């Protein structure tokens, strides 16, 4: 008598949405690299080393903070299959969201008056990073394939 | 006698008020997005994966508004 091999169900892998979020993070990383290079060169031409550093910090802030939502969903999905999954999921995602904004606010207030920061270059890089990550999100979600009713566990599984 | 009387003086940065205003929209937006996702998952748990992705897109767009609102502090002050 052979024992049935366990199937990779949604409870084991987290969620059917996992590949989408992983792709979003990968493409977001590539976008950050592109903005860092273009913004860094432009910043360097505008305000030498000060502009370069501002561009890199701005890009890092934008991509880190926008990517944190996808990361928090991936982390929260590790609890799928547990009794309080819905509560844990929204607590993790919304908790990460509010902490992220608190840290972003503190960073903005701290960096604003630093002598080694060019505020305009940094602002433009943050805007480019945020808008670019939105484009990446939409393109990845629009081109990803997800079946309807994918997170189903049949009786006996 | 002085014609004008100062009743109250306000100190501080007007950008703080700007941040408060910038937070209202995204707060309402994310509240609606997450609330509707919970509603959807409660009605059809098997669609949780799809709804998570759609929720993510909704959150991304509303939080972009908040990020830009806060980041304006860099140039408008």
């Amino acid at each position: 008598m052979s024992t049935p091999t366990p199937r990779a169900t949604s409870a084991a892998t987290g969620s059917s949405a996992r590949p989408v979020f992983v792709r979003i993070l990968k493409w977001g990383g590539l976008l950050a690299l592109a903005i860092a290079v273009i913004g860094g060169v432009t910043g360097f031409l505008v305000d030498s080393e000060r502009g370069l550093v501002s561009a890199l910090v701005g890009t890092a802030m934008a991509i880190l903070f926008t990517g944190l939502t996808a990361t928090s969903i991936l982390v929260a999905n590790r609890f799928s299959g547990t009794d309080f999954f819905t509560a844990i999921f929204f607590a993790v995602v919304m908790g990460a969201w509010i902490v992220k904004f608190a840290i972003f606010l503190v960073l903005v207030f701290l960096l604003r008056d630093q002598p080694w920061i060019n505020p305009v270059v940094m602002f433009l890089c943050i805007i480019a990073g945020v808008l670019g990550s939105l484009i990446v999100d939409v393109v990845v979600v629009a081109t990803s394939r997800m079946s309807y009713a994918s997170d189903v566990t049949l009786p006996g599984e | 006698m002085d014609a004008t009387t100062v009743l109250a003086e306000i100190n501080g940065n007007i950008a703080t008020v700007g941040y408060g205003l910038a937070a209202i929209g995204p707060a309402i937006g994310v509240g609606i997005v997450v609330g509707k996702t919970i509603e959807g998952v409660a009605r059809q748990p098997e669609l949780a994966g799809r709804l998570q992705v759609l929720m993510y897109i909704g959150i991304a767009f509303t939080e972009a508004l908040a990020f830009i609102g806060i980041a304006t502090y860099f140039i408008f002050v």
Side-chain angles (χ1 to χ4, degrees):
Chain A
M1 187 180 153
S2 63
T3 50
T5 48
R7 280 174 52 195
T9 58
S10 58
T13 54
S15 164
S16 60
R18 187 183 159 80
V20 180
F21 291 116
V22 172
R23 267 185 74 198
I24 284 173
L25 287 177
K26 277 182 190 167
W27 282 99
L30 289 176
L31 173 85
L33 209 65
I35 294 175
V37 170
I38 297 169
V41 170
T42 314
F44 188 78
L45 292 176
V46 171
D47 197 3
S48 65
E49 283 168 17
R50 202 163 149 247
L52 173 68
V53 172
S54 307
L56 293 180
V57 172
T59 309
M61 277 172 72
I63 294 301
L64 207 77
F65 287 112
T66 50
L68 214 64
T69 309
T71 312
S72 67
I73 293 175
L74 281 175
V75 170
N77 272 333
R78 288 178 177 273
F79 296 95
S80 75
T82 56
D83 289 342
F84 298 104
F85 171 61
T86 310
I88 294 171
F89 178 82
F90 288 105
V92 170
V93 175
M94 290 292 95
W97 199 77
I98 203 84
V99 169
K100 174 174 77 175
F101 270 101
I103 296 171
F104 186 71
L105 260 175
V106 171
L107 272 180
V108 166
F109 279 103
L110 287 179
L111 291 175
R112 172 75 172 81
D113 298 321
Q114 295 299 321
W116 45 275
I117 287 287
N118 182 327
V120 176
V121 173
M122 191 162 175
F123 172 75
L124 290 177
C125 279
I126 289 177
I127 300 292
V130 169
L131 294 182
S133 75
L134 281 183
I135 293 168
V136 164
D137 292 347
V138 170
V139 169
V140 168
V141 170
T143 55
S144 63
R145 292 163 68 92
M146 277 189 72
S147 60
Y148 280 97
S150 48
D151 295 323
V152 182
T153 308
L154 296 173
E157 278 190 327
Chain B
M1 189 182 161
D2 199 356
T4 55
T5 309
V6 177
L7 293 176
E9 189 186 16
I10 300 173
N11 287 314
N13 197 329
I14 194 69
T16 316
V17 180
Y19 166 67
L21 292 173
I24 295 172
I28 296 172
V30 167
I32 292 173
V33 168
V34 173
K36 290 289 178 186
T37 307
I38 294 173
E39 214 173 280
V41 174
R43 284 173 192 270
Q44 285 181 288
E46 71 274 10
L47 279 182
R50 268 188 98 78
L51 292 173
Q52 274 177 17
V53 174
L54 296 176
M55 181 192 77
Y56 173 75
I57 288 289
I59 290 179
F61 273 89
T62 37
E63 81 179 359
L65 205 64
F67 274 127
I68 293 170
I70 299 169
T72 49
Y73 177 66
F74 273 117
I75 55 164
F76 293 139
V77 180

